[in-house]
Amino acid sequence: MAEAKITTRSEDFSRWYTDVIAAAELADYAPVKGCMIIRPNGYAIWEKMQQALDSMFKETGHQNAYFPLFIPESFLKKEAEHVEGFAPEVALVTHGGGAKLEEPLVVRPTSETIIWNSFRNWIQSYRDLPLLINQWCNVVRWEMRTRLFLRTTEFLWQEGHTAHATYEDAEEETLRMLGVYRTFAEEYMALPVIEGLKSDKEKFAGAHHTYSIEAMMGDGKALQAGTSHHLGQNFAKAFDVMFQTEKGTRDHVYATSWGLSTRMIGALIMAHGDDNGIVIPPKLASIQVAVVPIFRKPEERERVMPAVDKLAAAFKAAGIGFKIDDREQHSPGWKFNEWEKRGVPLRIEIGPKDLDKNQVILARRDTREKTPVSLDGLDRTVLDVLATIQKSLYDRALAFREKHTYQVDDYAKFPEILDGGGFLWSHWCGSGECEEQVKDETKATIRNIPRESKAEAGKCIKCGAPSERRVIFARAY
């Protein structure tokens, strides 16, 4: 376990972030620049995320499949906006088996093109629709500036790809999956998010339009936590995916795609972490409770460990994820510090004096409060406390977002507010030129046009032209 001191968030948020990852042993830098090694502690969080999302995908009728890592370069070029959007990030394989390839292969940055090539063979009639596919895989985007979890050359994600008979059906799917992402973020990650429509400049390359969920991190910056794209008929036309309608005519199908990646581990760190390290929401913690037996003498051990074994049996029956830390080479204080850095939601301390009082000490990671509680019905108590922690983390993140959310109508105040971090709800005329100028001058982008944003007459924050509603500006990861 790394013993290096964690930089405080107020001193250097970026350094704090990398220190927390090292202290919790979540990831390491790889020998290839821009790539990362996800260590067991980090991968355990990703597995929990996968389990939650995969269950929700299947509940909404989606099936998992797997498509190749390599995509013929010509496929990417079939959809003009798509190839233009991804060209700077594409990695090409030009040689294989000791010889130059007839056609270079793209290492997938996303899989729309190769999947739609298959959909052409799978879809003949309206009876084949909707086709609802999800894929868990890795992708490669040749990023120039990388940061562990948030932006790496290779990352893990899921990408959903669906085909529908009508525009309305595809729109319903796009919003349904956006809702799944919101449920995941709020109920599992304890992370409040704002659903909204991306501007044309910020939409996915090749999409008709894109929705996102946007979250606020602990420094007030935004993080795009998931995207859902309505692709219209763009990819169907590029790959000639047609079907016979109920009326007997021929038409191109309508498509969606949506994705969420390992950057959500970065979001978890930045939204909930504190100066002592990561704080993992109970629903995403494989180890929800660390049990630390306290004893100095053999006779104390002989008394404490049977009580610990009883706890373990009760926790197992209750479905609580736990770890008993009975290592004798480390002091209790060292263990407390280690489990704190690893972000385990709850710690239980139990020693001879506690047994005399028929109690244990519960230590919450989120508040760092220690409370004596009865051994009787401890499994139920623990479940209740874990639920309280989960809600507390969400409430705290929501209060932080609300505190750092501003309605701004004076462009002169923009930079100063942005320097302190936050979401700026301001009017925008819809012009790409105004959007670009704001970005150039303040480094803030339009995160999305919130679905909850009510119609309100106003003037564009940049040019003063009429505006119908407010959008969210923020600096972002």
Side-chain angles (χ1 to χ4, degrees):
M1 184 72 187
E3 286 298 325
K5 182 177 176 292
I6 296 174
T7 304
T8 63
R9 288 173 300 166
S10 58
E11 183 183 347
D12 185 339
F13 194 85
S14 181
R15 177 73 190 182
W16 165 83
Y17 176 77
T18 54
D19 285 352
V20 167
I21 290 172
E25 297 181 347
L26 301 176
D28 274 342
Y29 294 97
V32 177
K33 187 182 177 185
C35 291
M36 68 173 170
I37 297 160
I38 305 176
R39 300 187 67 176
N41 290 345
Y43 202 82
I45 298 172
W46 180 237
E47 284 181 316
K48 281 285 188 180
M49 290 180 170
Q50 277 186 303
Q51 289 164 14
L53 284 164
D54 202 60
S55 175
M56 286 190 276
F57 295 159
K58 285 168 180 167
E59 282 173 12
T60 46
H62 300 82
Q63 294 179 297
N64 287 332
Y66 185 80
F67 292 82
L69 172 69
F70 300 118
I71 302 171
E73 186 183 32
S74 58
F75 281 21
L76 212 64
K77 293 179 177 177
K78 286 190 178 184
E79 213 292 323
E81 279 186 40
H82 191 67
V83 67
E84 185 181 346
F86 279 100
E89 300 175 352
V90 161
L92 281 178
V93 177
T94 58
H95 289 71
K100 187 176 181 181
L101 301 177
E102 287 184 21
E103 178 182 358
L105 298 174
V106 171
V107 182
R108 66 172 165 236
T110 180
S111 299
E112 277 79 4
T113 55
I114 197 161
I115 286 176
W116 279 89
N117 183 65
S118 294
F119 279 7
R120 179 176 62 233
N121 301 320
W122 299 355
I123 299 169
Q124 308 300 328
S125 157
Y126 69 90
R127 294 185 182 89
D128 300 321
L129 300 171
L131 180 56
L132 310 175
I133 297 292
N134 177 63
Q135 170 172 242
W136 292 97
C137 64
N138 61 340
V139 289
V140 170
R141 297 181 184 177
W142 217 260
E143 301 279 2
M144 299 311 293
R145 300 179 67 182
T146 58
R147 186 176 293 180
L148 292 173
F149 291 115
L150 296 177
R151 198 172 292 278
T152 50
T153 300
E154 179 194 13
F155 56 89
L156 305 180
W157 76 346
Q158 58 72 213
E159 48 178 321
H161 299 272
T162 69
H164 305 267
T166 67
Y167 177 95
E168 291 75 20
D169 287 349
E171 180 70 2
E172 186 181 339
E173 165 77 2
T174 309
L175 291 173
R176 178 187 298 114
M177 301 321 293
L178 187 73
V180 165
Y181 287 157
R182 179 174 188 160
T183 298
F184 168 73
E186 296 188 340
E187 293 187 8
Y188 287 85
M189 292 192 63
L191 183 65
V193 295
I194 296 174
E195 295 181 3
L197 180 70
K198 285 286 191 183
S199 68
D200 281 346
K201 277 187 176 291
E202 295 289 329
K203 73 178 183 180
F204 178 72
H208 183 276
H209 56 272
T210 290
Y211 295 100
S212 72
I213 52 170
E214 300 289 330
M216 186 181 288
M217 300 294 97
D219 60 350
K221 284 187 180 178
L223 184 112
Q224 181 177 284
T227 50
S228 187
H229 317 292
H230 189 312
L231 303 177
Q233 293 176 309
N234 295 351
F235 284 90
K237 287 177 178 176
F239 286 88
D240 196 28
V241 184
M242 300 191 76
F243 73 107
Q244 184 174 319
T245 68
E246 285 190 71
K247 295 178 181 176
T249 58
R250 301 275 294 166
D251 196 9
H252 288 96
V253 299
Y254 292 84
T256 82
S257 66
W258 26 275
L260 184 147
S261 77
T262 39
R263 78 173 353 215
M264 291 302 268
I265 298 175
L268 187 155
I269 296 166
M270 292 195 294
H272 300 309
D274 59 23
D275 288 344
N276 298 293
I278 187 174
V279 180
I280 305 174
K283 286 189 177 182
L284 293 179
S286 53
I287 300 174
Q288 297 172 307
V289 183
V291 181
V292 182
I294 299 170
F295 48 79
R296 288 189 178 86
K297 303 169 185 174
E299 56 268 30
E300 289 178 341
R301 179 187 174 97
E302 286 172 16
R303 187 173 169 217
V304 169
M305 289 313 293
V308 169
D309 292 340
K310 260 189 183 177
L311 289 186
F315 289 172
K316 191 172 182 180
I320 297 166
F322 66 93
K323 176 81 173 176
I324 297 168
D325 190 351
D326 59 353
R327 293 173 291 175
E328 295 190 25
Q329 69 269 36
H330 297 299
S331 69
W334 190 95
K335 294 175 186 178
F336 299 165
N337 185 50
E338 178 176 30
W339 292 113
E340 194 163 86
K341 283 182 178 179
R342 289 176 183 254
V344 170
L346 198 57
R347 189 176 72 243
I348 290 178
E349 303 165 16
I350 179 169
K353 290 180 181 178
D354 298 306
L355 291 178
D356 290 342
K357 299 175 184 177
N358 193 45
Q359 70 174 29
V360 298
I361 302 297
L362 286 190
R364 282 175 56 167
R365 177 62 186 87
D366 61 329
T367 61
R368 305 185 78 205
E369 293 172 353
K370 285 190 174 190
T371 312
V373 299
S374 172
L375 269 167
D376 299 330
L378 184 61
D379 52 343
R380 186 67 254 170
T381 303
V382 165
L383 287 171
D384 289 344
V385 174
L386 290 172
T388 299
I389 293 171
Q390 186 79 27
K391 184 178 185 304
S392 173
L393 287 172
Y394 177 86
D395 290 345
R396 189 166 71 183
L398 181 60
F400 181 84
R401 188 184 79 188
E402 289 177 346
K403 183 181 177 183
H404 295 87
T405 295
Y406 314 92
Q407 281 201 6
V408 182
D409 295 311
D410 181 356
Y411 191 57
K413 295 179 180 176
F414 233 66
E416 183 185 346
I417 296 173
L418 284 167
D419 286 345
F423 284 178
L424 282 60
W425 288 62
S426 299
H427 279 280
W428 172 56
C429 62
S431 153
E433 188 177 339
C434 284
E435 182 180 3
E436 198 63 35
Q437 285 177 358
V438 171
K439 183 178 179 180
D440 289 344
E441 292 166 8
T442 70
K443 295 181 180 173
T445 53
I446 294 175
R447 300 318 304 156
N448 64 27
I449 304 161
R451 297 189 71 211
E452 63 193 58
S453 175
K454 295 174 183 173
E456 173 196 314
K459 294 181 179 179
C460 177
I461 189 76
K462 180 60 185 167
C463 72
S467 162
E468 297 178 355
R469 67 184 65 245
R470 293 178 186 271
V471 302
I472 297 175
F473 285 93
R475 290 178 183 155
Y477 285 98

